[in-house]
Amino acid sequence: MSIAACECMQPTLWDCERKGVFLGVDMTNSRYGDVWFYQCPICAQNWLFYRVEYPSFTGSGRWFRTIIPTENSEHIKPEQAEALMNASSYRVVGGSFYQSPGIIITAKTELPFD
């Protein structure tokens, strides 16, 4: 099976939190974003996963995941996640902010972390 055909490439929320490695909390701009590393058990593709919510604002919950290179992927610091995700050409996003369980974004655009 090619990576492109793997289920992990689909716009859904995978087991990133439950089966991934918690890398820490991104405190940039006091956002308290949870950052995880996850490797797909089917195709071994590495993913960086980010989840943040602003409790004072309805519909602010959002999550992002993106493919990352294999080298040093488990040693990424949480504050590096935003730059890595914005540099990627393949992102899956979702949550109440998007009013969607998952959308694929392939265009070069900055993700709304704040």
mmCIF file with all atom_site columns, all heavy atoms in Angstrom, residues 21-24 35-37 46-49 66 68-82 84:
data_model
loop_
_atom_site.group_PDB
_atom_site.id
_atom_site.type_symbol
_atom_site.label_atom_id
_atom_site.label_alt_id
_atom_site.label_comp_id
_atom_site.label_asym_id
_atom_site.label_entity_id
_atom_site.label_seq_id
_atom_site.pdbx_PDB_ins_code
_atom_site.Cartn_x
_atom_site.Cartn_y
_atom_site.Cartn_z
_atom_site.occupancy
_atom_site.B_iso_or_equiv
_atom_site.pdbx_formal_charge
_atom_site.auth_seq_id
_atom_site.auth_comp_id
_atom_site.auth_asym_id
_atom_site.auth_atom_id
_atom_site.pdbx_PDB_model_num
ATOM 1   N N   . VAL A 1 21 ? 2.879  10.008 21.211 1.00 0.00 ? 21 VAL A N   1
ATOM 2   C CA  . VAL A 1 21 ? 3.821  10.425 22.241 1.00 0.00 ? 21 VAL A CA  1
ATOM 3   C C   . VAL A 1 21 ? 3.570  11.907 22.515 1.00 0.00 ? 21 VAL A C   1
ATOM 4   O O   . VAL A 1 21 ? 3.670  12.731 21.602 1.00 0.00 ? 21 VAL A O   1
ATOM 5   C CB  . VAL A 1 21 ? 5.283  10.212 21.764 1.00 0.00 ? 21 VAL A CB  1
ATOM 6   C CG1 . VAL A 1 21 ? 6.261  10.750 22.791 1.00 0.00 ? 21 VAL A CG1 1
ATOM 7   C CG2 . VAL A 1 21 ? 5.545  8.753  21.450 1.00 0.00 ? 21 VAL A CG2 1
ATOM 8   N N   . PHE A 1 22 ? 3.232  12.227 23.752 1.00 0.00 ? 22 PHE A N   1
ATOM 9   C CA  . PHE A 1 22 ? 2.980  13.613 24.123 1.00 0.00 ? 22 PHE A CA  1
ATOM 10  C C   . PHE A 1 22 ? 4.306  14.356 24.175 1.00 0.00 ? 22 PHE A C   1
ATOM 11  O O   . PHE A 1 22 ? 5.218  13.974 24.906 1.00 0.00 ? 22 PHE A O   1
ATOM 12  C CB  . PHE A 1 22 ? 2.272  13.671 25.474 1.00 0.00 ? 22 PHE A CB  1
ATOM 13  C CG  . PHE A 1 22 ? 1.924  15.056 25.923 1.00 0.00 ? 22 PHE A CG  1
ATOM 14  C CD1 . PHE A 1 22 ? 1.052  15.838 25.198 1.00 0.00 ? 22 PHE A CD1 1
ATOM 15  C CD2 . PHE A 1 22 ? 2.471  15.570 27.085 1.00 0.00 ? 22 PHE A CD2 1
ATOM 16  C CE1 . PHE A 1 22 ? 0.721  17.124 25.615 1.00 0.00 ? 22 PHE A CE1 1
ATOM 17  C CE2 . PHE A 1 22 ? 2.145  16.845 27.511 1.00 0.00 ? 22 PHE A CE2 1
ATOM 18  C CZ  . PHE A 1 22 ? 1.271  17.624 26.772 1.00 0.00 ? 22 PHE A CZ  1
ATOM 19  N N   . LEU A 1 23 ? 4.431  15.420 23.375 1.00 0.00 ? 23 LEU A N   1
ATOM 20  C CA  . LEU A 1 23 ? 5.670  16.189 23.319 1.00 0.00 ? 23 LEU A CA  1
ATOM 21  C C   . LEU A 1 23 ? 5.657  17.381 24.264 1.00 0.00 ? 23 LEU A C   1
ATOM 22  O O   . LEU A 1 23 ? 6.707  17.946 24.559 1.00 0.00 ? 23 LEU A O   1
ATOM 23  C CB  . LEU A 1 23 ? 5.923  16.674 21.889 1.00 0.00 ? 23 LEU A CB  1
ATOM 24  C CG  . LEU A 1 23 ? 6.080  15.577 20.836 1.00 0.00 ? 23 LEU A CG  1
ATOM 25  C CD1 . LEU A 1 23 ? 6.254  16.196 19.452 1.00 0.00 ? 23 LEU A CD1 1
ATOM 26  C CD2 . LEU A 1 23 ? 7.243  14.654 21.177 1.00 0.00 ? 23 LEU A CD2 1
ATOM 27  N N   . GLY A 1 24 ? 4.486  17.789 24.715 1.00 0.00 ? 24 GLY A N   1
ATOM 28  C CA  . GLY A 1 24 ? 4.405  18.889 25.664 1.00 0.00 ? 24 GLY A CA  1
ATOM 29  C C   . GLY A 1 24 ? 3.356  19.908 25.278 1.00 0.00 ? 24 GLY A C   1
ATOM 30  O O   . GLY A 1 24 ? 2.554  19.697 24.373 1.00 0.00 ? 24 GLY A O   1
ATOM 31  N N   . VAL A 1 35 ? 0.774  19.196 22.046 1.00 0.00 ? 35 VAL A N   1
ATOM 32  C CA  . VAL A 1 35 ? 1.504  18.742 20.867 1.00 0.00 ? 35 VAL A CA  1
ATOM 33  C C   . VAL A 1 35 ? 1.865  17.268 21.037 1.00 0.00 ? 35 VAL A C   1
ATOM 34  O O   . VAL A 1 35 ? 2.376  16.859 22.084 1.00 0.00 ? 35 VAL A O   1
ATOM 35  C CB  . VAL A 1 35 ? 2.795  19.580 20.656 1.00 0.00 ? 35 VAL A CB  1
ATOM 36  C CG1 . VAL A 1 35 ? 3.524  19.136 19.406 1.00 0.00 ? 35 VAL A CG1 1
ATOM 37  C CG2 . VAL A 1 35 ? 2.466  21.065 20.587 1.00 0.00 ? 35 VAL A CG2 1
ATOM 38  N N   . TRP A 1 36 ? 1.604  16.485 19.984 1.00 0.00 ? 36 TRP A N   1
ATOM 39  C CA  . TRP A 1 36 ? 1.838  15.040 20.008 1.00 0.00 ? 36 TRP A CA  1
ATOM 40  C C   . TRP A 1 36 ? 2.589  14.604 18.758 1.00 0.00 ? 36 TRP A C   1
ATOM 41  O O   . TRP A 1 36 ? 2.438  15.191 17.688 1.00 0.00 ? 36 TRP A O   1
ATOM 42  C CB  . TRP A 1 36 ? 0.504  14.290 20.012 1.00 0.00 ? 36 TRP A CB  1
ATOM 43  C CG  . TRP A 1 36 ? -0.339 14.568 21.198 1.00 0.00 ? 36 TRP A CG  1
ATOM 44  C CD1 . TRP A 1 36 ? -1.122 15.663 21.419 1.00 0.00 ? 36 TRP A CD1 1
ATOM 45  C CD2 . TRP A 1 36 ? -0.491 13.754 22.339 1.00 0.00 ? 36 TRP A CD2 1
ATOM 46  N NE1 . TRP A 1 36 ? -1.744 15.570 22.621 1.00 0.00 ? 36 TRP A NE1 1
ATOM 47  C CE2 . TRP A 1 36 ? -1.378 14.404 23.214 1.00 0.00 ? 36 TRP A CE2 1
ATOM 48  C CE3 . TRP A 1 36 ? 0.040  12.533 22.714 1.00 0.00 ? 36 TRP A CE3 1
ATOM 49  C CZ2 . TRP A 1 36 ? -1.742 13.865 24.437 1.00 0.00 ? 36 TRP A CZ2 1
ATOM 50  C CZ3 . TRP A 1 36 ? -0.334 11.996 23.930 1.00 0.00 ? 36 TRP A CZ3 1
ATOM 51  C CH2 . TRP A 1 36 ? -1.211 12.662 24.775 1.00 0.00 ? 36 TRP A CH2 1
ATOM 52  N N   . PHE A 1 37 ? 3.356  13.532 18.903 1.00 0.00 ? 37 PHE A N   1
ATOM 53  C CA  . PHE A 1 37 ? 3.968  12.832 17.776 1.00 0.00 ? 37 PHE A CA  1
ATOM 54  C C   . PHE A 1 37 ? 3.206  11.522 17.651 1.00 0.00 ? 37 PHE A C   1
ATOM 55  O O   . PHE A 1 37 ? 2.914  10.861 18.643 1.00 0.00 ? 37 PHE A O   1
ATOM 56  C CB  . PHE A 1 37 ? 5.451  12.549 18.043 1.00 0.00 ? 37 PHE A CB  1
ATOM 57  C CG  . PHE A 1 37 ? 6.037  11.546 17.097 1.00 0.00 ? 37 PHE A CG  1
ATOM 58  C CD1 . PHE A 1 37 ? 6.419  11.922 15.833 1.00 0.00 ? 37 PHE A CD1 1
ATOM 59  C CD2 . PHE A 1 37 ? 6.176  10.212 17.476 1.00 0.00 ? 37 PHE A CD2 1
ATOM 60  C CE1 . PHE A 1 37 ? 6.941  10.997 14.943 1.00 0.00 ? 37 PHE A CE1 1
ATOM 61  C CE2 . PHE A 1 37 ? 6.696  9.280  16.593 1.00 0.00 ? 37 PHE A CE2 1
ATOM 62  C CZ  . PHE A 1 37 ? 7.078  9.679  15.333 1.00 0.00 ? 37 PHE A CZ  1
ATOM 63  N N   . ASN A 1 46 ? 4.982  9.494  9.792  1.00 0.00 ? 46 ASN A N   1
ATOM 64  C CA  . ASN A 1 46 ? 5.061  10.285 11.018 1.00 0.00 ? 46 ASN A CA  1
ATOM 65  C C   . ASN A 1 46 ? 4.179  11.521 10.915 1.00 0.00 ? 46 ASN A C   1
ATOM 66  O O   . ASN A 1 46 ? 4.183  12.210 9.894  1.00 0.00 ? 46 ASN A O   1
ATOM 67  C CB  . ASN A 1 46 ? 6.501  10.718 11.281 1.00 0.00 ? 46 ASN A CB  1
ATOM 68  C CG  . ASN A 1 46 ? 7.372  9.549  11.634 1.00 0.00 ? 46 ASN A CG  1
ATOM 69  O OD1 . ASN A 1 46 ? 6.941  8.626  12.308 1.00 0.00 ? 46 ASN A OD1 1
ATOM 70  N ND2 . ASN A 1 46 ? 8.602  9.570  11.183 1.00 0.00 ? 46 ASN A ND2 1
ATOM 71  N N   . TRP A 1 47 ? 3.473  11.799 11.992 1.00 0.00 ? 47 TRP A N   1
ATOM 72  C CA  . TRP A 1 47 ? 2.562  12.941 12.053 1.00 0.00 ? 47 TRP A CA  1
ATOM 73  C C   . TRP A 1 47 ? 2.859  13.792 13.271 1.00 0.00 ? 47 TRP A C   1
ATOM 74  O O   . TRP A 1 47 ? 3.215  13.277 14.330 1.00 0.00 ? 47 TRP A O   1
ATOM 75  C CB  . TRP A 1 47 ? 1.112  12.462 12.169 1.00 0.00 ? 47 TRP A CB  1
ATOM 76  C CG  . TRP A 1 47 ? 0.588  11.797 10.956 1.00 0.00 ? 47 TRP A CG  1
ATOM 77  C CD1 . TRP A 1 47 ? 0.651  10.462 10.657 1.00 0.00 ? 47 TRP A CD1 1
ATOM 78  C CD2 . TRP A 1 47 ? -0.075 12.415 9.856  1.00 0.00 ? 47 TRP A CD2 1
ATOM 79  N NE1 . TRP A 1 47 ? 0.047  10.220 9.445  1.00 0.00 ? 47 TRP A NE1 1
ATOM 80  C CE2 . TRP A 1 47 ? -0.404 11.406 8.930  1.00 0.00 ? 47 TRP A CE2 1
ATOM 81  C CE3 . TRP A 1 47 ? -0.433 13.730 9.571  1.00 0.00 ? 47 TRP A CE3 1
ATOM 82  C CZ2 . TRP A 1 47 ? -1.065 11.664 7.745  1.00 0.00 ? 47 TRP A CZ2 1
ATOM 83  C CZ3 . TRP A 1 47 ? -1.091 13.994 8.382  1.00 0.00 ? 47 TRP A CZ3 1
ATOM 84  C CH2 . TRP A 1 47 ? -1.398 12.964 7.487  1.00 0.00 ? 47 TRP A CH2 1
ATOM 85  N N   . LEU A 1 48 ? 2.677  15.094 13.120 1.00 0.00 ? 48 LEU A N   1
ATOM 86  C CA  . LEU A 1 48 ? 2.711  16.015 14.237 1.00 0.00 ? 48 LEU A CA  1
ATOM 87  C C   . LEU A 1 48 ? 1.265  16.452 14.441 1.00 0.00 ? 48 LEU A C   1
ATOM 88  O O   . LEU A 1 48 ? 0.577  16.813 13.485 1.00 0.00 ? 48 LEU A O   1
ATOM 89  C CB  . LEU A 1 48 ? 3.598  17.217 13.901 1.00 0.00 ? 48 LEU A CB  1
ATOM 90  C CG  . LEU A 1 48 ? 3.858  18.209 15.030 1.00 0.00 ? 48 LEU A CG  1
ATOM 91  C CD1 . LEU A 1 48 ? 4.588  17.521 16.193 1.00 0.00 ? 48 LEU A CD1 1
ATOM 92  C CD2 . LEU A 1 48 ? 4.695  19.369 14.519 1.00 0.00 ? 48 LEU A CD2 1
ATOM 93  N N   . PHE A 1 49 ? 0.806  16.397 15.671 1.00 0.00 ? 49 PHE A N   1
ATOM 94  C CA  . PHE A 1 49 ? -0.586 16.705 15.994 1.00 0.00 ? 49 PHE A CA  1
ATOM 95  C C   . PHE A 1 49 ? -0.625 17.837 17.013 1.00 0.00 ? 49 PHE A C   1
ATOM 96  O O   . PHE A 1 49 ? 0.172  17.869 17.952 1.00 0.00 ? 49 PHE A O   1
ATOM 97  C CB  . PHE A 1 49 ? -1.259 15.459 16.571 1.00 0.00 ? 49 PHE A CB  1
ATOM 98  C CG  . PHE A 1 49 ? -2.674 15.676 17.028 1.00 0.00 ? 49 PHE A CG  1
ATOM 99  C CD1 . PHE A 1 49 ? -3.697 15.804 16.112 1.00 0.00 ? 49 PHE A CD1 1
ATOM 100 C CD2 . PHE A 1 49 ? -2.977 15.733 18.375 1.00 0.00 ? 49 PHE A CD2 1
ATOM 101 C CE1 . PHE A 1 49 ? -5.011 16.002 16.538 1.00 0.00 ? 49 PHE A CE1 1
ATOM 102 C CE2 . PHE A 1 49 ? -4.278 15.932 18.811 1.00 0.00 ? 49 PHE A CE2 1
ATOM 103 C CZ  . PHE A 1 49 ? -5.292 16.064 17.882 1.00 0.00 ? 49 PHE A CZ  1
ATOM 104 N N   . THR A 1 66 ? -0.047 17.152 10.653 1.00 0.00 ? 66 THR A N   1
ATOM 105 C CA  . THR A 1 66 ? 0.726  17.260 9.426  1.00 0.00 ? 66 THR A CA  1
ATOM 106 C C   . THR A 1 66 ? 1.815  16.198 9.387  1.00 0.00 ? 66 THR A C   1
ATOM 107 O O   . THR A 1 66 ? 2.273  15.736 10.433 1.00 0.00 ? 66 THR A O   1
ATOM 108 C CB  . THR A 1 66 ? 1.345  18.668 9.282  1.00 0.00 ? 66 THR A CB  1
ATOM 109 O OG1 . THR A 1 66 ? 1.890  18.800 7.983  1.00 0.00 ? 66 THR A OG1 1
ATOM 110 C CG2 . THR A 1 66 ? 2.429  18.918 10.318 1.00 0.00 ? 66 THR A CG2 1
ATOM 111 N N   . ILE A 1 68 ? 5.450  14.819 9.039  1.00 0.00 ? 68 ILE A N   1
ATOM 112 C CA  . ILE A 1 68 ? 6.767  15.353 9.369  1.00 0.00 ? 68 ILE A CA  1
ATOM 113 C C   . ILE A 1 68 ? 7.842  14.352 8.982  1.00 0.00 ? 68 ILE A C   1
ATOM 114 O O   . ILE A 1 68 ? 7.584  13.160 8.911  1.00 0.00 ? 68 ILE A O   1
ATOM 115 C CB  . ILE A 1 68 ? 6.878  15.719 10.861 1.00 0.00 ? 68 ILE A CB  1
ATOM 116 C CG1 . ILE A 1 68 ? 6.544  14.522 11.755 1.00 0.00 ? 68 ILE A CG1 1
ATOM 117 C CG2 . ILE A 1 68 ? 5.986  16.894 11.199 1.00 0.00 ? 68 ILE A CG2 1
ATOM 118 C CD1 . ILE A 1 68 ? 6.814  14.761 13.217 1.00 0.00 ? 68 ILE A CD1 1
ATOM 119 N N   . PRO A 1 69 ? 9.070  14.821 8.748  1.00 0.00 ? 69 PRO A N   1
ATOM 120 C CA  . PRO A 1 69 ? 10.165 13.919 8.398  1.00 0.00 ? 69 PRO A CA  1
ATOM 121 C C   . PRO A 1 69 ? 10.502 12.982 9.560  1.00 0.00 ? 69 PRO A C   1
ATOM 122 O O   . PRO A 1 69 ? 10.255 13.309 10.723 1.00 0.00 ? 69 PRO A O   1
ATOM 123 C CB  . PRO A 1 69 ? 11.341 14.849 8.109  1.00 0.00 ? 69 PRO A CB  1
ATOM 124 C CG  . PRO A 1 69 ? 10.825 16.230 8.167  1.00 0.00 ? 69 PRO A CG  1
ATOM 125 C CD  . PRO A 1 69 ? 9.455  16.203 8.749  1.00 0.00 ? 69 PRO A CD  1
ATOM 126 N N   . THR A 1 70 ? 11.079 11.859 9.248  1.00 0.00 ? 70 THR A N   1
ATOM 127 C CA  . THR A 1 70 ? 11.409 10.850 10.245 1.00 0.00 ? 70 THR A CA  1
ATOM 128 C C   . THR A 1 70 ? 12.498 11.302 11.213 1.00 0.00 ? 70 THR A C   1
ATOM 129 O O   . THR A 1 70 ? 12.391 11.095 12.409 1.00 0.00 ? 70 THR A O   1
ATOM 130 C CB  . THR A 1 70 ? 11.867 9.548  9.552  1.00 0.00 ? 70 THR A CB  1
ATOM 131 O OG1 . THR A 1 70 ? 10.832 9.139  8.668  1.00 0.00 ? 70 THR A OG1 1
ATOM 132 C CG2 . THR A 1 70 ? 12.139 8.461  10.554 1.00 0.00 ? 70 THR A CG2 1
ATOM 133 N N   . GLU A 1 71 ? 13.535 11.951 10.712 1.00 0.00 ? 71 GLU A N   1
ATOM 134 C CA  . GLU A 1 71 ? 14.674 12.292 11.557 1.00 0.00 ? 71 GLU A CA  1
ATOM 135 C C   . GLU A 1 71 ? 14.291 13.242 12.695 1.00 0.00 ? 71 GLU A C   1
ATOM 136 O O   . GLU A 1 71 ? 13.685 14.277 12.483 1.00 0.00 ? 71 GLU A O   1
ATOM 137 C CB  . GLU A 1 71 ? 15.836 12.875 10.750 1.00 0.00 ? 71 GLU A CB  1
ATOM 138 C CG  . GLU A 1 71 ? 15.519 14.103 9.941  1.00 0.00 ? 71 GLU A CG  1
ATOM 139 C CD  . GLU A 1 71 ? 14.852 13.832 8.606  1.00 0.00 ? 71 GLU A CD  1
ATOM 140 O OE1 . GLU A 1 71 ? 14.789 12.674 8.162  1.00 0.00 ? 71 GLU A OE1 1
ATOM 141 O OE2 . GLU A 1 71 ? 14.366 14.797 8.008  1.00 0.00 ? 71 GLU A OE2 1
ATOM 142 N N   . ASN A 1 72 ? 14.625 12.824 13.899 1.00 0.00 ? 72 ASN A N   1
ATOM 143 C CA  . ASN A 1 72 ? 14.398 13.599 15.125 1.00 0.00 ? 72 ASN A CA  1
ATOM 144 C C   . ASN A 1 72 ? 12.938 13.993 15.366 1.00 0.00 ? 72 ASN A C   1
ATOM 145 O O   . ASN A 1 72 ? 12.667 14.935 16.092 1.00 0.00 ? 72 ASN A O   1
ATOM 146 C CB  . ASN A 1 72 ? 15.270 14.860 15.137 1.00 0.00 ? 72 ASN A CB  1
ATOM 147 C CG  . ASN A 1 72 ? 16.734 14.527 15.151 1.00 0.00 ? 72 ASN A CG  1
ATOM 148 O OD1 . ASN A 1 72 ? 17.157 13.584 15.814 1.00 0.00 ? 72 ASN A OD1 1
ATOM 149 N ND2 . ASN A 1 72 ? 17.520 15.266 14.403 1.00 0.00 ? 72 ASN A ND2 1
ATOM 150 N N   . SER A 1 73 ? 12.002 13.282 14.793 1.00 0.00 ? 73 SER A N   1
ATOM 151 C CA  . SER A 1 73 ? 10.598 13.664 14.905 1.00 0.00 ? 73 SER A CA  1
ATOM 152 C C   . SER A 1 73 ? 10.064 13.583 16.334 1.00 0.00 ? 73 SER A C   1
ATOM 153 O O   . SER A 1 73 ? 9.173  14.336 16.695 1.00 0.00 ? 73 SER A O   1
ATOM 154 C CB  . SER A 1 73 ? 9.739  12.845 13.957 1.00 0.00 ? 73 SER A CB  1
ATOM 155 O OG  . SER A 1 73 ? 9.973  11.483 14.139 1.00 0.00 ? 73 SER A OG  1
ATOM 156 N N   . GLU A 1 74 ? 10.597 12.689 17.142 1.00 0.00 ? 74 GLU A N   1
ATOM 157 C CA  . GLU A 1 74 ? 10.125 12.575 18.519 1.00 0.00 ? 74 GLU A CA  1
ATOM 158 C C   . GLU A 1 74 ? 10.809 13.582 19.439 1.00 0.00 ? 74 GLU A C   1
ATOM 159 O O   . GLU A 1 74 ? 10.497 13.656 20.614 1.00 0.00 ? 74 GLU A O   1
ATOM 160 C CB  . GLU A 1 74 ? 10.327 11.156 19.042 1.00 0.00 ? 74 GLU A CB  1
ATOM 161 C CG  . GLU A 1 74 ? 9.359  10.161 18.407 1.00 0.00 ? 74 GLU A CG  1
ATOM 162 C CD  . GLU A 1 74 ? 9.395  8.819  19.077 1.00 0.00 ? 74 GLU A CD  1
ATOM 163 O OE1 . GLU A 1 74 ? 9.195  8.749  20.301 1.00 0.00 ? 74 GLU A OE1 1
ATOM 164 O OE2 . GLU A 1 74 ? 9.643  7.827  18.374 1.00 0.00 ? 74 GLU A OE2 1
ATOM 165 N N   . HIS A 1 75 ? 11.741 14.368 18.920 1.00 0.00 ? 75 HIS A N   1
ATOM 166 C CA  . HIS A 1 75 ? 12.474 15.334 19.730 1.00 0.00 ? 75 HIS A CA  1
ATOM 167 C C   . HIS A 1 75 ? 12.078 16.775 19.399 1.00 0.00 ? 75 HIS A C   1
ATOM 168 O O   . HIS A 1 75 ? 12.780 17.711 19.754 1.00 0.00 ? 75 HIS A O   1
ATOM 169 C CB  . HIS A 1 75 ? 13.978 15.135 19.556 1.00 0.00 ? 75 HIS A CB  1
ATOM 170 C CG  . HIS A 1 75 ? 14.402 13.748 19.920 1.00 0.00 ? 75 HIS A CG  1
ATOM 171 N ND1 . HIS A 1 75 ? 14.393 13.284 21.214 1.00 0.00 ? 75 HIS A ND1 1
ATOM 172 C CD2 . HIS A 1 75 ? 14.810 12.718 19.157 1.00 0.00 ? 75 HIS A CD2 1
ATOM 173 C CE1 . HIS A 1 75 ? 14.791 12.025 21.229 1.00 0.00 ? 75 HIS A CE1 1
ATOM 174 N NE2 . HIS A 1 75 ? 15.041 11.662 19.998 1.00 0.00 ? 75 HIS A NE2 1
ATOM 175 N N   . ILE A 1 76 ? 10.949 16.934 18.739 1.00 0.00 ? 76 ILE A N   1
ATOM 176 C CA  . ILE A 1 76 ? 10.443 18.266 18.402 1.00 0.00 ? 76 ILE A CA  1
ATOM 177 C C   . ILE A 1 76 ? 9.972  18.943 19.684 1.00 0.00 ? 76 ILE A C   1
ATOM 178 O O   . ILE A 1 76 ? 9.306  18.333 20.512 1.00 0.00 ? 76 ILE A O   1
ATOM 179 C CB  . ILE A 1 76 ? 9.284  18.159 17.388 1.00 0.00 ? 76 ILE A CB  1
ATOM 180 C CG1 . ILE A 1 76 ? 9.807  17.626 16.065 1.00 0.00 ? 76 ILE A CG1 1
ATOM 181 C CG2 . ILE A 1 76 ? 8.580  19.494 17.209 1.00 0.00 ? 76 ILE A CG2 1
ATOM 182 C CD1 . ILE A 1 76 ? 8.721  17.246 15.084 1.00 0.00 ? 76 ILE A CD1 1
ATOM 183 N N   . LYS A 1 77 ? 10.306 20.195 19.820 1.00 0.00 ? 77 LYS A N   1
ATOM 184 C CA  . LYS A 1 77 ? 9.848  20.966 20.974 1.00 0.00 ? 77 LYS A CA  1
ATOM 185 C C   . LYS A 1 77 ? 8.459  21.543 20.641 1.00 0.00 ? 77 LYS A C   1
ATOM 186 O O   . LYS A 1 77 ? 8.208  21.928 19.507 1.00 0.00 ? 77 LYS A O   1
ATOM 187 C CB  . LYS A 1 77 ? 10.836 22.081 21.275 1.00 0.00 ? 77 LYS A CB  1
ATOM 188 C CG  . LYS A 1 77 ? 12.187 21.564 21.738 1.00 0.00 ? 77 LYS A CG  1
ATOM 189 C CD  . LYS A 1 77 ? 13.093 22.704 22.096 1.00 0.00 ? 77 LYS A CD  1
ATOM 190 C CE  . LYS A 1 77 ? 14.479 22.303 22.516 1.00 0.00 ? 77 LYS A CE  1
ATOM 191 N NZ  . LYS A 1 77 ? 14.813 20.994 22.752 1.00 0.00 ? 77 LYS A NZ  1
ATOM 192 N N   . PRO A 1 78 ? 7.555  21.596 21.616 1.00 0.00 ? 78 PRO A N   1
ATOM 193 C CA  . PRO A 1 78 ? 6.198  22.079 21.360 1.00 0.00 ? 78 PRO A CA  1
ATOM 194 C C   . PRO A 1 78 ? 6.152  23.442 20.674 1.00 0.00 ? 78 PRO A C   1
ATOM 195 O O   . PRO A 1 78 ? 5.316  23.671 19.799 1.00 0.00 ? 78 PRO A O   1
ATOM 196 C CB  . PRO A 1 78 ? 5.564  22.135 22.746 1.00 0.00 ? 78 PRO A CB  1
ATOM 197 C CG  . PRO A 1 78 ? 6.315  21.112 23.532 1.00 0.00 ? 78 PRO A CG  1
ATOM 198 C CD  . PRO A 1 78 ? 7.721  21.157 23.009 1.00 0.00 ? 78 PRO A CD  1
ATOM 199 N N   . GLU A 1 79 ? 7.063  24.345 21.025 1.00 0.00 ? 79 GLU A N   1
ATOM 200 C CA  . GLU A 1 79 ? 7.044  25.678 20.425 1.00 0.00 ? 79 GLU A CA  1
ATOM 201 C C   . GLU A 1 79 ? 7.499  25.683 18.966 1.00 0.00 ? 79 GLU A C   1
ATOM 202 O O   . GLU A 1 79 ? 7.350  26.687 18.273 1.00 0.00 ? 79 GLU A O   1
ATOM 203 C CB  . GLU A 1 79 ? 7.861  26.674 21.255 1.00 0.00 ? 79 GLU A CB  1
ATOM 204 C CG  . GLU A 1 79 ? 9.286  26.278 21.496 1.00 0.00 ? 79 GLU A CG  1
ATOM 205 C CD  . GLU A 1 79 ? 9.513  25.378 22.714 1.00 0.00 ? 79 GLU A CD  1
ATOM 206 O OE1 . GLU A 1 79 ? 8.546  24.931 23.358 1.00 0.00 ? 79 GLU A OE1 1
ATOM 207 O OE2 . GLU A 1 79 ? 10.683 25.103 23.008 1.00 0.00 ? 79 GLU A OE2 1
ATOM 208 N N   . GLN A 1 80 ? 8.012  24.567 18.479 1.00 0.00 ? 80 GLN A N   1
ATOM 209 C CA  . GLN A 1 80 ? 8.392  24.445 17.068 1.00 0.00 ? 80 GLN A CA  1
ATOM 210 C C   . GLN A 1 80 ? 7.221  24.000 16.188 1.00 0.00 ? 80 GLN A C   1
ATOM 211 O O   . GLN A 1 80 ? 7.284  24.099 14.968 1.00 0.00 ? 80 GLN A O   1
ATOM 212 C CB  . GLN A 1 80 ? 9.524  23.422 16.905 1.00 0.00 ? 80 GLN A CB  1
ATOM 213 C CG  . GLN A 1 80 ? 10.814 23.796 17.582 1.00 0.00 ? 80 GLN A CG  1
ATOM 214 C CD  . GLN A 1 80 ? 11.808 22.647 17.533 1.00 0.00 ? 80 GLN A CD  1
ATOM 215 O OE1 . GLN A 1 80 ? 11.502 21.534 17.948 1.00 0.00 ? 80 GLN A OE1 1
ATOM 216 N NE2 . GLN A 1 80 ? 12.987 22.928 17.013 1.00 0.00 ? 80 GLN A NE2 1
ATOM 217 N N   . ALA A 1 81 ? 6.170  23.515 16.796 1.00 0.00 ? 81 ALA A N   1
ATOM 218 C CA  . ALA A 1 81 ? 5.051  22.912 16.057 1.00 0.00 ? 81 ALA A CA  1
ATOM 219 C C   . ALA A 1 81 ? 4.403  23.878 15.067 1.00 0.00 ? 81 ALA A C   1
ATOM 220 O O   . ALA A 1 81 ? 4.128  23.499 13.930 1.00 0.00 ? 81 ALA A O   1
ATOM 221 C CB  . ALA A 1 81 ? 4.007  22.364 17.024 1.00 0.00 ? 81 ALA A CB  1
ATOM 222 N N   . GLU A 1 82 ? 4.157  25.107 15.471 1.00 0.00 ? 82 GLU A N   1
ATOM 223 C CA  . GLU A 1 82 ? 3.484  26.062 14.589 1.00 0.00 ? 82 GLU A CA  1
ATOM 224 C C   . GLU A 1 82 ? 4.277  26.270 13.303 1.00 0.00 ? 82 GLU A C   1
ATOM 225 O O   . GLU A 1 82 ? 3.710  26.198 12.204 1.00 0.00 ? 82 GLU A O   1
ATOM 226 C CB  . GLU A 1 82 ? 3.283  27.397 15.301 1.00 0.00 ? 82 GLU A CB  1
ATOM 227 C CG  . GLU A 1 82 ? 2.583  28.430 14.446 1.00 0.00 ? 82 GLU A CG  1
ATOM 228 C CD  . GLU A 1 82 ? 2.334  29.734 15.173 1.00 0.00 ? 82 GLU A CD  1
ATOM 229 O OE1 . GLU A 1 82 ? 2.766  29.905 16.335 1.00 0.00 ? 82 GLU A OE1 1
ATOM 230 O OE2 . GLU A 1 82 ? 1.683  30.605 14.571 1.00 0.00 ? 82 GLU A OE2 1
ATOM 231 N N   . LEU A 1 84 ? 6.582  24.312 11.942 1.00 0.00 ? 84 LEU A N   1
ATOM 232 C CA  . LEU A 1 84 ? 6.633  23.065 11.169 1.00 0.00 ? 84 LEU A CA  1
ATOM 233 C C   . LEU A 1 84 ? 5.319  22.831 10.427 1.00 0.00 ? 84 LEU A C   1
ATOM 234 O O   . LEU A 1 84 ? 5.313  22.432 9.265  1.00 0.00 ? 84 LEU A O   1
ATOM 235 C CB  . LEU A 1 84 ? 6.942  21.883 12.082 1.00 0.00 ? 84 LEU A CB  1
ATOM 236 C CG  . LEU A 1 84 ? 8.352  21.820 12.630 1.00 0.00 ? 84 LEU A CG  1
ATOM 237 C CD1 . LEU A 1 84 ? 8.448  20.774 13.733 1.00 0.00 ? 84 LEU A CD1 1
ATOM 238 C CD2 . LEU A 1 84 ? 9.338  21.514 11.514 1.00 0.00 ? 84 LEU A CD2 1
#
